[in-house]
Each structure stands twice: as structure tokens, then as C-alpha cells.
Amino acid sequence: MPTLVMKFGGTSVANLDRIKRAAKRVGVEVSKGYNVIVVVSAMSGKTNELVGWVEETSPLFDAREYDAIVSSGENVTAGLMALTLQEMNINARSWQGWQVPLITSSAHAAARIEDIPTKNINAKFDQGVRVAVVAGFQGISSEGRITTLGRGGSDTTAVAFAAAFGAERCDIYTDVDGIYTTDPRVENKARKLDKIAFEEMLELASLGAKVLQTRSVELAMRFKVKLRVLSSFEEQSDSAGTLVCDEEEIMESNVVAGVAFQRDEAKMTLISIADRPGIAAAIFMPLSDAGVNVDMIVQNISEEGRTDMTFSCPVDQVGRAQQAMAKAKDSGEINFHDLIADTDVAKVSVVGIGMRSHTGVAAKMFHVLSAEGVNIKVITTSEIKISVLVDRKYMELAVQALHDAFDLDKA
Ligand code: ADP
Ligand code: ASP
Ligand code: MG
């Protein structure tokens, strides 16, 4: 029988009614003749609550225990979904990550999937089970400890299952009816896209568009998974949503495909460090060892052998970064005058594969922001994106102004 993967995010399984609604959609696909792998998130808000408990108990927590705790939300929804389906006379069974087993690396809180053996679930399909409900976001390391795949990781669980089982499609059901030119909660003129290229979605996701976890897009691209994003709230189950596909499948597209943002960034500046070979390594190795996800990096012009180094990281990692830098200073590996943390910044980015062949996008972006009186604090670019750090209070304004200026509301 052909296999389909259906993933339901937190709002789509937020309570028993929503779970019933999602189960009905699964029932429709079962009646079409599919064996379905359903991947569920925790009920919306649950993972945040669990993370809050961890941080309150232990600010610089042991990530192994973090994973033991925050993975639990998905166990509940997986069991409830299986029970709901059984109540509908559909032969369903739930699997937690360790039961599959979904094998991951040992990078707790950001584990990478290494293997998904299909044997156990296929054996059940052969015995007549029609729906395998899988707890998203979680796996097990080779040391036998529970791991999680990073926030939003159920998307990645879903795509990885689609690849492992050769599913016909991977449908991501969420609280919006597709992928938009920017987050429709920030810009009400955001336009739904019928299709988006993998490369663009990859950039948008990694720059903050949380509608899909970055790793899920990466996996879909690598394993040629047919990936769709659609609403679990709309009544008709055939509403098309947005297809994430190869660039070649899209006839025309705008130079800029979308605007993404990351609200909770911090800008860290090391004042007066020695400008010598090896200094960058001496700074960024300890940060990496401390689990700090450094994003933008800028080194200023050096004067008399001393320079300033600026980097950005998520605001909730500032404590770790400060601790790592203080330790490196104490041990004599680096020497700096001061470490300044600006915790009120956000990152805004424009993304589009059209930038490969069109010039002037950066100039236009900077002009639009200056016309709005928004000061740019840090800039980085790549082939298909331009990102800036701005004061957080201007984030929405910047997103809306850029969306307008690049005519993203028009096809
Ligand atoms: P789920 O719980 O279903 O995984 P998420 O909250 O993780 O849902 O992702 C869906 C949300 O992503 C939407 O509610 C929307 O606010 C946000 N979002 C951000 N950028 C975009 C975008 N470009 N298109 C659609 N949604 C976006
Ligand atoms: N529940 C997890 C989170 O909130 C995983 C997910 O929903 O994708 O990050
Ligand atoms: Mg999500």
C-alpha cells in the first residue's frame, strides 16, 4: 500500500476536539487506501511550559535532562491520537522515538537524525495496522538516552519518516494555510505562495520563518520528498496549501521571495581584543563548546593591534556566551577590555533566488530602512539573502516596509 506522512503541529492537536478533527483527516486518507504515518507535536504551549520549568530549575541546565523533560509533550499527543483513531475503528498504534527506534546523534537539544529503521513499523503495517502515530521531535542516541531535534523538530521527524518509508507525500498541517511571503501575523498583506523553491524555503526557515524547521527543508531537498504545508483548520481536505519544490518547477518568481525575521537576537561586542592570528578561533571555539549558536560576525578595523569583535546569538544564550568568554579570559586564551551585550535587537532578512542575477537589492533594502528611520546595526549577505540587525522595536516596521517596497503582495 502507498504510504503518506501527515504531521500535525501544536495548535492542530491543542485539545481533544482538535485531535478528533485531525484524526478525521487521517481517516479520509486511510479510506483512500493509504497507510499513514502520523507525526504529532505536543499540544501548543506544552513544550514552552516544559522548557520554562527546566530553566527555572537550572539556568545552565544539563541538556540530557532537558531532553528527558521537554520530549514528554509528544508522548501524550501520540497516545491520544492513536486512541482517537481506534475510537473511529481505525487500526492505529503509537510509537515513541526510542520504540521506532529513531536513532540520533548525541547533540542533546539539537540532535541530528542518523537512522530510522522501518522494520518495526512495517511489520505492524503487514499485520493490518493502518496508522502509525509517531511522537515528533524526539529520538534516542547510541548511548541510549532520549534526545530532541531542536525547537520545531517535529517537522524534521515527519520529513525523515517520509524519506525512510518512501512516502508519496509529506503533508505538514499547521495553523496557516500555507507558506506566505512573510509571517501573516506581522504583515496582513502577506501573500500565500502556491510553490516555493527548496533553496528559498531553506533560507527563510534558517532566518526565522518558523513555519518549517530548517533541517526538515534540508532533508526534503536531499531525499526529494514531496513536501506540502497546509491548514488543519480548513474544512475541505483538498485545499492545496504550498508545495516546496525544485526551482525548475516554478515558472516565474519575484526577485525577492520573502521576508523573514528573528525577534530574539542579541548583539555581543568584545571591546579591545588583540588583533593577531588565531584570535577568532580563540573566541569562537569556546563559544561553540558552550553550545552558543553564533550567527553574524563582524570584526572592526584594527588600531594599534587591538580591535573590536561583534557577533550575534539568540538572546537566551547570552548567559552562556558571557560565561564562556569570562572563562577564556581567566585562562589567558583571550584578553578583552569589556563584553557589551545588546539584548534588544532583531534580525530582518530578505530572501530570493532572483538575487543571483539581479543587482541593487541590498541598496534598495538599506534605502527603505533609512527612509523609515531604522538604524542598521550589523549587515550580512549571501548569494540569495541579505540580513540586518535592527533595534527590536523597529522589527515589525522594517518587515512591513520591505514587504511593501519589494511588492511582495503582488504575484
Ligand atoms: P506548528 O505548531 O504547526 O508547527 P508553528 O507555529 O511552528 O506551527 O509554525 C506556523 C507559524 O509560522 C504560523 O502561525 C506563522 O505565524 C509562522 N510563520 C512565520 N513565517 C511564516 C511564513 N513565511 N509563512 C507562513 N507562516 C509563517
Ligand atoms: N513541540 C516541539 C516544539 O514546540 C516540537 C514541534 O512542535 O515541532 O518545539
Ligand atoms: Mg512548528
Side-chain angles (χ1 to χ4, degrees), residues 223-334:
F223 293 101
K224 304 214 170 303
V225 171
K226 199 166 170 197
L227 180 61
R228 235 182 13 155
V229 173
L230 61 173
S231 164
S232 66
F233 299 128
E234 274 174 24
E235 278 312 321
Q236 81 273 38
S237 62
D238 48 24
S239 144
T242 301
L243 184 70
V244 190
C245 60
D246 284 326
E247 194 177 324
E248 294 75 36
E249 290 178 51
I250 301 173
M251 294 287 281
E252 283 291 350
S253 59
N254 292 341
V255 177
V256 170
V259 181
F261 55 84
Q262 226 138 22
R263 194 182 299 273
D264 297 314
E265 291 287 291
K267 173 176 164 253
M268 311 285 286
T269 305
L270 287 158
I271 306 285
S272 184
I273 46 163
D275 190 10
R276 57 163 173 83
I279 191 66
I283 293 168
F284 294 106
M285 287 297 283
L287 288 171
S288 149
D289 292 343
V292 178
N293 298 313
V294 172
D295 178 26
M296 303 163 131
I297 299 174
V298 180
Q299 183 176 348
N300 291 350
I301 295 166
S302 153
E303 268 178 56
E304 291 161 15
R306 315 275 313 167
T307 183
D308 297 343
M309 183 84 84
T310 298
F311 61 90
S312 69
C313 68
V315 81
D316 61 359
Q317 294 178 2
V318 165
R320 279 175 193 268
Q322 284 168 328
Q323 198 191 42
M325 291 297 89
K327 222 168 111 190
K329 190 177 183 182
D330 286 347
S331 70
E333 285 163 61
I334 54 173

Side-chain angles (χ1 to χ4, degrees), residues 62-381:
D62 176 337
R64 285 163 295 198
E65 300 310 334
Y66 167 97
D67 277 351
I69 296 156
V70 305
S71 60
S72 64
E74 274 73 7
N75 297 346
V76 176
T77 44
L80 286 171
M81 177 62 83
L83 283 181
T84 308
L85 289 161
Q86 288 174 5
E87 286 295 321
M88 295 162 59
N89 289 319
I90 295 171
N91 193 343
R93 182 62 61 212
S94 74
W95 273 267
Q96 295 180 8
W98 65 272
Q99 292 171 303
V100 173
L102 188 152
I103 312 284
T104 74
S105 69
S106 307
H108 285 276
R112 291 171 77 88
I113 298 175
E114 289 177 349
D115 192 24
I116 301 183
T118 54
K119 205 176 97 209
N120 290 346
I121 289 177
N122 271 336
K124 288 289 174 191
F125 278 149
D126 289 343
Q127 290 164 25
V129 166
R130 297 297 308 281
V131 183
V133 186
V134 173
F137 181 49
Q138 52 172 264
I140 185 167
S141 70
S142 51
E143 287 90 34
R145 296 219 60 99
I146 305 297
T147 55
T148 63
L149 310 178
R151 296 306 305 271
S154 297
D155 298 328
T156 302
T157 308
V159 173
F161 268 87
F165 284 78
E168 207 172 284
R169 224 174 44 238
C170 181
D171 284 343
I172 306 284
Y173 287 88
T174 183
D175 56 0
V176 281
D177 60 352
I179 296 161
Y180 282 70
T181 46
T182 192
D183 189 337
R185 288 178 210 284
V186 166
E187 168 58 280
N188 56 21
K189 285 187 274 174
R191 180 171 50 90
K192 199 194 97 183
L193 301 164
D194 294 331
K195 290 180 178 179
I196 185 165
F198 281 121
E199 286 87 348
E200 286 173 335
M201 192 59 232
L202 200 56
E203 285 285 4
L204 286 174
S206 74
L207 296 168
K210 68 170 188 161
V211 61
L212 285 174
Q213 200 199 31
T214 311
R215 280 284 293 148
S216 72
V217 186
E218 230 171 75
L219 282 182
M221 192 162 139
R222 178 139 61 96
F223 293 101
K224 304 214 170 303
V225 171
K226 199 166 170 197
L227 180 61
R228 235 182 13 155
V229 173
L230 61 173
S231 164
S232 66
F233 299 128
E234 274 174 24
E235 278 312 321
Q236 81 273 38
S237 62
D238 48 24
S239 144
T242 301
L243 184 70
V244 190
C245 60
D246 284 326
E247 194 177 324
E248 294 75 36
E249 290 178 51
I250 301 173
M251 294 287 281
E252 283 291 350
S253 59
N254 292 341
V255 177
V256 170
V259 181
F261 55 84
Q262 226 138 22
R263 194 182 299 273
D264 297 314
E265 291 287 291
K267 173 176 164 253
M268 311 285 286
T269 305
L270 287 158
I271 306 285
S272 184
I273 46 163
D275 190 10
R276 57 163 173 83
I279 191 66
I283 293 168
F284 294 106
M285 287 297 283
L287 288 171
S288 149
D289 292 343
V292 178
N293 298 313
V294 172
D295 178 26
M296 303 163 131
I297 299 174
V298 180
Q299 183 176 348
N300 291 350
I301 295 166
S302 153
E303 268 178 56
E304 291 161 15
R306 315 275 313 167
T307 183
D308 297 343
M309 183 84 84
T310 298
F311 61 90
S312 69
C313 68
V315 81
D316 61 359
Q317 294 178 2
V318 165
R320 279 175 193 268
Q322 284 168 328
Q323 198 191 42
M325 291 297 89
K327 222 168 111 190
K329 190 177 183 182
D330 286 347
S331 70
E333 285 163 61
I334 54 173
N335 184 356
F336 56 90
H337 178 64
D338 202 0
L339 173 56
I340 297 172
D342 178 352
T343 54
D344 284 320
V345 295
K347 184 169 65 174
V348 176
S349 312
V350 299
V351 171
I353 39 188
M355 283 185 216
R356 285 187 198 134
S357 49
H358 282 74
T359 54
V361 176
K364 184 166 174 178
M365 179 177 188
F366 304 153
H367 176 74
V368 169
L369 294 175
S370 88
E372 296 290 339
V374 177
N375 187 33
I376 300 172
K377 299 190 151 187
V378 181
I379 302 169
T380 54
T381 63

Side-chain angles (χ1 to χ4, degrees), residues 12-24:
S12 311
V13 293
N15 53 47
L16 299 186
D17 270 349
R18 296 264 175 90
I19 292 177
K20 258 190 212 157
R21 204 163 165 157
K24 271 193 202 147

